[in-house]
Amino acid sequence: MSSAEPTAPLPATQSPATLPAFSAPVVLKIGGIVLFVVGLVLWLLSFAAGSELAWSGWLIGSWYALGFPLFASFLLTINALASAGWGATLKRVPEAMTAFFPVAILPFAILAIGAMTSNLYDWSHHHDDGSLHAELIHHKEPWLNTTFWLVRMVVYFGLWTGFTWLMVRHSRKQDIDGDLKHTWAVRRLAAPFGIVFGLSVTFASIDYIKSIEPTWFSTMFGVYQFAGIMQAGFAMLILVLVALRNSGHLKEHVNENHYHTLGIWLISTSVFWAYIWFCQFMLIWYSNIPEETQHYFARWHGPWFWVSFLVNPLLNFAIPFLFLLPRPHKRNIKILSGVALVVLVGRFVDLWQFVAPRPKLVNHIPEPTLQPMETLLTAGPVIALVGLFIVILMIALERAPILARKDPFFEEGEHHHL
Amino acid sequence: MGAHVYSVMREPLVVGKKTLHEITQDVCQSIEGKPSLLWWLGFLTSGAIATAGVATMLYQMYVGVGTWGLNKTVGWGFDITNFVFWIGIGHAGTLISAVLFLFRQKWRTSINRSAEAMTLFAVLCALIYPTIHMGRPWIGPLWIAPYPNLRGPLWVNFRSPLLWDVFAISTYFTISLCFWYIGLVPDLATVRDRAKHWLRKVFYGTLSLGWNGSVRNWNHYEVAYMIFAGLSTPLVFSVHTIVSMDFATSVIPGWHTTIFPPYFVAGAIFSGFAMVLTLLLIARKTMRLEAYINEITMDNMAKIVLLTGSLVGLAYGTEFFVAWYSGSIYEGFAFINRATGPFAWSYWIMVSCNVISPQILWFKKLRRNPWVLFVMSIFVNIGMWFERFVIIVTSLHRDYLPSSWAYYTMTWVEYAELIGTFGIFFFMFFVFIRFLPGIAFGEVKGVNKYARHDSHGHAHAEVKHG
C-alpha cells in the first residue's frame, strides 16, 4: 500500500505509546451504577408481588442485556466477513460490548437459582399428575431438564466468550504491530462463529424464553429473537456512540455518514423484526391449531391485547419505520437517538408481553395469570442490568485505544460517505 | 462527495487495465459481430427443447391434467414443485440488483444485468405451471374476475394465499421488468450510437428512449434507480414469503410451520445464486468475459451461496428439532417419514446437494475455481428442486388416513414439461445475450478504477452509484 500518499490524513505509522489513552466519561460510569442500584431495588421490591413475578423480571432483564454482546459479536462477525469498511472507526465499541459475555454469566447463574427455586419454568419442577399438559412436558424432558439446561448454559457462554475474546485480542494486537495477519485471523474466527452464533441463539432462545410456555412451539422463534436482538443492539450502539460524542469522543471519526449507516441498519432490522413478528403470528392465527394458538390466545383477550398487538408493533416497527424513512432523519443524531430509545423500550415490551402474562389453563382455556399493570416492576432487572452493561462497557473501552488506527479498513472507514 | 479511499484489503473489480472504450468493445462484440457457432448450437438446442416442451403442454391441455401422475392423495406434484423452483431462481436477480445496490456492493455491476434478465425469464417459466394446471388456461386472465359458470358470479377466494401469489408475483415481475429496463437505457444508447445499419439504429434508438447522456439524464436515472431498488427490496422478501404461505397457512404437518417465510426466502436466494453461477460461468467462457466475471465475482457469489445454504441448513435442523420438541405425533411422523419413508431418496438427495455440497466453499481456492463452482452450482440447482419436491410430495403422500396413503409416480408428460421449461429458459437467455448487452458496461465503467493501488497512488475515481 502506498501509505505515504498525501490523501492519508493520519499517518498509520503512529506508535501506540503516543496514542491518547481513552478514559471513559465519568458521567456514564456513574449513570450506569445509579441505574444498576435503582433497578436492583425495584427488583427486590417486586418480590413482594410474588417470587414468580420477580423471577420473570430477572429473566427479561438477563436476556435483554445478553442481547447487546450477542449483537456486538454478530456485528463484528458480519463486518469482518463482508469486508465492511464503514465500521472500522467505531469497532472498538462493539468489541468492548462483547466484554459483557463473561459478566453476564452472573445474572444467568442467579437465574438458575430462580429456575430451581421458583415456578418460573414449569418443566423444572415437573410432577406427573396424569394430565395431557404433564404428558407433553414429560415428552420434552430429554431437552428441558435442569442439568442439561445448565450444561447448555456453560457451553453457550464458553463459546461466546471464547470466540469474542480471541477476535478482540487479534484486533488489539493489530494496534501494536499493524500486521494484516490479524485481520485474516479475525475472519477465520468469524466464519465458524457465524455457525456457532446461529445455532446457539436458536437454542438459547428456546431454553430461556420459549420454554416459559413449555407446551407451545414455533420454528420461527429463534429468528424472532435474533431479529429483536439485532434491532435493540443497533439502538444501543447508536446511543452509546451519541453518549460518547456528547462527552467529546469519536466526534470526527464517527460522523453523520456513520450514523446514516447505523440508521439504515436500525430501520432494516426494525422492518425485519416486524416481518418475522407478523409472519409468526399470521401463520398461527390462520391455521388455528390449538397447540400453537395457545400462546396468542392468552394475549388476544383482555388488556394484554393492547400491549402485544398495539404497543409492541408501534414501538418496534411503526415509529422506527416512519421516523427513519427520510434520509435527513438518519443523519440527524437527535432524531436517530430518539428512535433508538423508543426501540430499546420496545424491546422490553416485546419480552415483557412474552414472559410476564404467565398463562395457565383455566377450563382448558389459556388465560394470563397476571395483567400488564401488575407486572410493571419486571422492568427493574432490565434497568439494573443495562446499568451493569454500561459500567462494564466503559471499563472495557478503557482497555484499548478508542480508535483502531491500524485496522486496514480504518482509513476507508474515515472517508466513508453515503 | 470526497475522494474514495480503498483499503489494502480491496481487490480491483475489473481484471487488467481496461480503457473505457475497451470495456464497451468487450461487451458489445457479442451483439454486434456475427454470432459464434457455440451460440447457434445453444440457441437451436434450447429452441428444440422448448418446442418439445410446448408441444407436450398443448398435448396435456388437449387430453387433460389426467396425463400427470397426480392422484387423490398427492394432489400437487411436479407442477407446484417446478413453479416454486422457478420463482426461487428469479430471486438472485432482484437481490443482486436491489439489495446489493442498497448495500453498496460494487461487484454486482458485472452480473446484475444477466441476473435480472434471468429473473424475468424464470418468473415467466414459473407462470407456465399454474396456468397449465388450470385445465382451461384460456380463461386464465379471468382468474381474478368472476369465473364464468352457470351458477352465477363465482369470485376467487381473497383469503387464499394462492390468490395473494397472483398479486405478489405480478407486482414482482412488473417492478423487476421496469428496474431492468431502466438500467438498460444508457447501455442501449451506446449501442445505438455505435450502430451502422439503419435497422439497428431504429431498433436500439427506439429502445433507448432518446437518452443523450447529459447530466440531467444521469441525475434522473440515478434517482429512479434508487427508488426502484427501494421498491424491489421488500419484493425480494414478499414474493417467496407468500409462496411459502401457500403451504404454511395449511394444517398439513410438514407444510405448516412458522419458519417457512424466511426459510423460503433464503432458499430462493440460494437456488437463484446457483443458477446465476451456472449461467454466468458458461457466459464468461463462451463470451470471453473473464475480465469482468472474475475471481472476485465468483468468490463473492460463492460466499452468498455458502451463507444462504447455511441458513437453509439451519432451517432444516430447526424444523427437525421442533418436530420432536412440539410433542405432536403428526409433526414427528412427517419428519421421520421424510428421512426414512418411501420418498427418503429424494430427502437425502436434497440434504447432500444443499447442505453437504456447499461446504467446499469454505476454501478460498475452491471459491475462485470456475470448474469447481460450476459443478457445485449444478448440485445446488438439483438440491433446491428436490427441496420443493420433498416438502410438497412427502408431506402429502401419507396423510392422516393410512388407507389413503399413496405413492406418486411421475409420467413422461411431467418430465417433458420440466425439461421443456429449461429449454424455454435457456432459449430466452440466448436471445437476450444476442440482442441486449449482457453486462451493464455503463456501470462497470464506474468501478473500473475501483481499488487500483497502482503507481498513481490511490484511485480517486468517483464511483458512480450502481
Side-chain angles (χ1 to χ4, degrees):
Chain A
M1 181 190 168
S2 43
S3 56
E5 279 306 309
T7 48
L10 291 156
T13 46
Q14 214 169 349
S15 79
T18 61
L19 288 172
F22 182 72
S23 59
V26 183
V27 60
L28 289 179
K29 282 187 193 166
I30 294 173
I33 294 169
V34 170
L35 285 179
F36 181 66
V37 174
V38 170
L40 220 50
V41 170
L42 287 176
W43 181 52
L44 293 174
L45 285 176
S46 71
F47 272 97
S51 68
E52 208 174 310
L53 176 82
W55 287 114
S56 291
W58 192 256
L59 170 62
I60 297 172
S62 309
W63 184 246
Y64 186 98
L66 179 66
F68 302 126
L70 279 175
F71 150 80
S73 67
F74 194 66
L75 180 67
L76 293 170
T77 300
I78 54 175
N79 276 359
L81 293 179
S83 306
W86 68 273
T89 55
L90 53 85
K91 76 168 181 178
R92 280 293 136 84
V93 180
E95 278 178 11
M97 279 180 166
T98 63
F100 195 62
F101 274 136
V103 181
I105 296 170
L106 195 68
F108 274 85
I110 295 171
L111 180 71
I113 298 171
M116 283 182 272
T117 59
S118 80
N119 288 334
L120 181 65
Y121 293 109
D122 253 359
W123 50 262
S124 68
H125 49 87
H126 172 60
H127 49 89
D128 209 338
D129 55 7
S131 67
L132 279 173
H133 184 80
E135 201 182 301
L136 252 182
I137 294 177
H138 179 67
H139 168 83
K140 300 180 190 207
E141 236 174 48
W143 188 266
L144 295 181
N145 64 72
T146 317
T147 318
F148 193 25
W149 187 80
L150 286 170
V151 169
R152 287 197 299 276
M153 187 186 285
V154 172
V155 172
Y156 299 148
F157 277 92
L159 287 169
W160 294 332
T161 311
F163 268 99
T164 50
W165 183 77
L166 286 171
M167 283 198 260
V168 172
R169 196 175 64 142
H170 274 292
S171 166
R172 290 187 184 165
K173 274 188 179 169
Q174 198 168 42
D175 277 352
I176 297 160
D177 58 17
D179 199 326
L180 284 183
K181 75 177 184 202
H182 298 299
T183 304
W184 290 108
V186 170
R187 284 189 191 189
R188 271 193 293 276
L189 285 164
F193 182 71
I195 293 177
V196 167
F197 182 88
L199 289 171
S200 60
V201 169
T202 304
F203 286 119
S205 55
I206 296 173
D207 288 349
Y208 305 126
I209 306 296
K210 192 158 95 176
S211 72
I212 270 283
E213 288 173 37
T215 56
W216 182 69
F217 59 93
S218 163
T219 43
M220 182 82 104
F221 198 76
V223 189
Y224 172 51
Q225 287 306 310
F226 165 74
I229 286 168
M230 291 308 286
Q231 187 191 8
F234 277 110
M236 180 53 97
L237 178 58
I238 289 167
L239 287 176
V240 169
L241 287 169
V242 172
L244 290 175
R245 184 186 182 86
N246 289 343
S247 12
H249 303 284
L250 291 176
K251 275 192 151 164
E252 286 156 28
H253 291 89
V254 182
N255 58 40
E256 68 210 1
N257 290 297
H258 300 88
Y259 283 104
H260 187 172
T261 307
L262 290 166
I264 293 175
W265 269 118
L266 186 57
I267 190 174
S268 340
T269 47
S270 302
V271 173
F272 184 67
W273 176 89
Y275 166 63
I276 299 297
W277 174 82
F278 176 74
C279 285
Q280 177 172 269
F281 166 70
M282 199 282 272
L283 289 175
I284 288 174
W285 169 81
Y286 197 112
S287 295
N288 208 11
I289 300 171
E291 293 96 302
E292 292 181 350
T293 49
Q294 54 173 321
H295 169 76
Y296 289 108
F297 194 93
R299 288 154 185 82
W300 190 256
H301 306 281
W304 279 110
F305 175 84
W306 304 103
V307 178
S308 297
F309 296 98
L310 196 78
V311 179
N312 197 14
L314 186 78
L315 299 183
N316 285 310
F317 170 63
I319 291 178
F321 180 73
L322 294 173
F323 278 86
L324 291 185
L325 206 49
R327 177 188 156 98
H329 287 192
K330 289 189 274 270
R331 300 173 79 88
N332 180 322
I333 290 170
K334 276 194 182 132
I335 296 177
L336 190 61
S337 45
V339 171
L341 203 60
V342 169
V343 166
L344 282 182
V345 176
R347 175 74 182 144
F348 165 70
V349 171
D350 195 21
L351 291 174
W352 173 48
Q353 62 86 32
F354 198 99
V355 176
R358 309 200 54 75
K360 294 271 171 351
L361 287 177
V362 182
N363 298 325
H364 303 289
I365 292 172
E367 276 179 15
T369 46
L370 295 165
Q371 294 306 334
M373 286 306 152
E374 301 166 329
T375 59
L376 280 177
L377 278 181
T378 50
V382 173
I383 297 168
L385 295 174
V386 165
L388 183 65
F389 168 75
I390 292 170
V391 175
I392 301 296
L393 175 68
M394 291 305 136
I395 294 170
L397 276 175
E398 284 180 342
R399 297 177 65 180
I402 192 76
L403 292 173
R405 284 181 190 274
K406 288 192 179 173
D407 185 301
F409 290 101
F410 187 83
E411 210 187 325
E412 195 181 297
E414 278 184 311
H415 290 78
H416 172 64
H417 69 78
L418 283 172
Chain B
M1 305 277 257
H4 270 269
V5 176
Y6 298 109
S7 162
V8 278
M9 302 291 285
R10 306 276 181 215
E11 295 168 87
L13 293 178
V14 179
V15 171
K17 280 179 196 152
K18 297 266 183 190
T19 63
L20 298 185
H21 179 66
E22 278 168 348
I23 295 177
T24 311
Q25 204 70 13
D26 284 351
V27 178
C28 291
Q29 43 118 357
S30 63
I31 57 173
E32 286 173 346
K34 283 231 182 319
S36 66
L37 195 68
L38 220 55
W39 182 85
W40 276 112
L41 197 72
F43 176 75
L44 292 175
T45 313
S46 59
I49 296 172
T51 312
V54 172
T56 316
M57 287 166 202
L58 291 173
Y59 166 80
Q60 176 236 304
M61 276 180 221
Y62 182 73
V63 180
V65 183
T67 51
W68 289 350
L70 300 176
N71 51 49
K72 269 191 175 172
T73 312
V74 185
W76 274 1
F78 262 41
D79 46 357
I80 309 298
T81 303
N82 296 341
F83 163 74
V84 180
F85 173 77
W86 283 115
I87 291 286
I89 293 297
H91 271 60
T94 326
L95 183 98
I96 293 167
S97 53
V99 180
L100 294 187
F101 173 75
L102 295 181
F103 272 104
R104 274 78 177 169
Q105 296 296 301
K106 310 287 184 205
W107 59 273
R108 66 185 267 291
T109 52
S110 56
I111 54 169
N112 67 343
R113 174 71 45 76
S114 318
E116 285 171 49
M118 190 196 78
T119 294
L120 300 172
F121 306 149
V123 173
L124 288 174
C125 286
L127 190 67
I128 291 173
Y129 287 95
T131 312
I132 60 175
H133 199 173
M134 279 191 295
R136 293 193 291 165
W138 44 93
I139 46 179
L142 299 168
W143 251 355
I144 51 169
Y147 193 84
N149 68 100
L150 297 173
R151 285 177 293 171
L154 184 64
W155 284 86
V156 290
N157 185 358
F158 284 97
R159 289 178 298 185
S160 163
L162 295 177
L163 184 68
W164 308 344
D165 253 352
V166 176
F167 299 122
I169 292 167
S170 50
T171 312
Y172 176 59
F173 184 79
T174 314
I175 300 286
S176 299
L177 183 67
C178 296
F179 196 14
W180 178 66
Y181 189 68
I182 283 179
L184 264 170
V185 169
D187 287 356
L188 287 172
T190 309
V191 179
R192 169 200 67 195
D193 296 343
R194 290 163 57 92
K196 304 228 162 51
H197 196 277
W198 68 270
L199 195 64
R200 288 182 73 88
K201 279 191 178 136
V202 171
F203 180 71
Y204 291 105
T206 312
L207 286 181
S208 55
L209 306 174
W211 177 271
N212 59 19
S214 63
V215 176
R216 206 176 140 81
N217 270 185
W218 278 110
N219 215 348
H220 287 160
Y221 171 86
E222 290 192 355
V223 171
Y225 206 91
M226 179 65 101
I227 290 173
F228 271 106
L231 287 175
S232 302
T233 301
L235 290 174
V236 177
F237 287 85
S238 74
V239 175
H240 234 66
T241 295
I242 289 176
V243 168
S244 81
M245 286 176 183
D246 292 346
F247 308 102
T249 53
S250 71
V251 290
I252 311 280
W255 280 13
H256 171 73
T257 182
T258 49
I259 205 170
F260 258 28
Y263 154 46
F264 265 50
V265 172
I269 295 167
F270 181 52
S271 69
F273 261 84
M275 188 58 94
V276 175
L277 276 171
T278 310
L279 282 181
L280 289 183
L281 290 173
I282 300 173
R284 140 184 222 274
K285 201 79 198 156
T286 54
M287 293 161 68
R288 298 206 175 90
L289 295 172
E290 284 95 339
Y292 310 102
I293 302 162
N294 50 41
E295 287 190 336
I296 312 217
T297 329
M298 292 191 284
D299 195 353
N300 285 331
M301 288 204 278
K303 281 177 183 166
I304 293 186
V305 170
L306 183 58
L307 170 72
T308 48
S310 308
L311 290 177
V312 167
L314 180 62
Y316 292 165
T318 311
E319 272 196 307
F320 235 106
F321 175 76
V322 176
W324 167 79
Y325 177 89
S326 71
S328 157
I329 50 168
Y330 306 109
E331 284 288 325
F333 174 78
F335 283 87
I336 300 288
N337 183 47
R338 254 180 208 185
T340 60
F343 282 102
W345 55 274
S346 61
Y347 179 80
W348 292 107
I349 291 177
M350 170 190 98
V351 171
S352 1
C353 290
N354 286 351
V355 183
I356 299 169
S357 83
Q359 300 311 318
I360 58 163
L361 302 179
W362 287 102
F363 305 98
K364 188 173 179 174
K365 271 222 173 82
L366 299 180
R367 285 200 301 268
R368 296 188 169 206
N369 182 326
W371 299 103
V372 170
L373 275 188
F374 186 75
V375 173
M376 194 275 319
S377 78
I378 301 288
F379 273 118
V380 174
N381 285 326
I382 295 171
M384 280 308 292
W385 187 87
F386 271 100
E387 182 193 292
R388 281 65 175 250
F389 181 84
V390 165
I391 292 171
I392 293 164
V393 175
T394 64
S395 309
L396 286 177
H397 81 119
R398 286 183 161 176
D399 61 11
Y400 294 104
L401 206 61
S403 63
S404 67
W405 288 5
Y407 197 77
Y408 167 51
T409 316
M410 312 77 184
T411 64
W412 69 269
V413 174
E414 285 163 304
Y415 285 115
E417 286 172 352
L418 170 61
I419 297 166
T421 34
F422 274 96
I424 295 170
F425 178 75
F426 281 101
F427 180 77
M428 290 193 277
F429 195 79
F430 278 113
V431 173
F432 156 71
I433 52 169
R434 175 67 194 138
F435 290 102
L436 295 171
I439 284 187
F441 57 87
E443 295 188 31
V444 170
K445 286 174 186 172
V447 299
N448 192 26
K449 291 196 176 144
Y450 181 88
R452 294 228 179 266
H453 309 286
D454 52 24
S455 54
H456 304 294
H458 291 293
H460 289 166
E462 187 61 55
V463 178
K464 194 161 59 67
H465 285 295

